[in-house]
Amino acid sequence: MKWCTSGEFVPLMLVVSGPEKYKLVATLVQAAEMLTLGWPIDDGEEYLVAIMACRDAIHGEIPAQDARAALIRAADEAGISVITVVH
């Protein structure tokens, strides 16, 4: 499992509402946590695809970049802005 590796997951920043306006997502586990614990909707089609993509990437079944792309599509669906982080 690739829970905390960030080498394959290019970090991004999500602009969310609440006290912490910016959420850094730098690993697959952070992406999964954001989707399951801090997502504003839980029934969107892209949201469900992103949940499954994170699970599959964590288990090594798909590349981390595919899960990242799914997260970005889910963010768009939920009205969450995404900032690409350069590292």
Side-chain angles (χ1 to χ4, degrees):
M1 287 190 181
K2 301 178 179 184
W3 278 98
C4 294
T5 59
S6 60
E8 297 177 354
F9 191 96
V10 178
L12 53 85
M13 188 82 65
L14 299 175
V15 182
V16 296
S17 59
E20 291 183 46
K21 186 173 182 176
Y22 301 100
K23 293 279 192 177
L24 176 65
V25 179
T27 65
L28 288 169
V29 72
Q30 289 175 339
E33 286 175 348
M34 186 67 198
L35 286 163
T36 57
L37 300 176
W39 213 248
I41 61 171
D42 64 358
D43 63 349
E45 183 177 333
E46 294 296 343
Y47 167 79
L48 297 173
V49 168
I51 291 283
M52 291 184 291
C54 282
R55 181 202 61 209
D56 292 346
I58 287 168
H59 290 289
E61 297 170 11
I62 66 169
Q65 64 203 31
D66 291 355
R68 182 182 185 274
L71 177 64
I72 292 170
R73 289 190 305 273
D76 182 55
E77 175 181 67
I80 297 172
S81 296
V82 177
I83 301 170
T84 302
V85 178
V86 177
H87 68 308

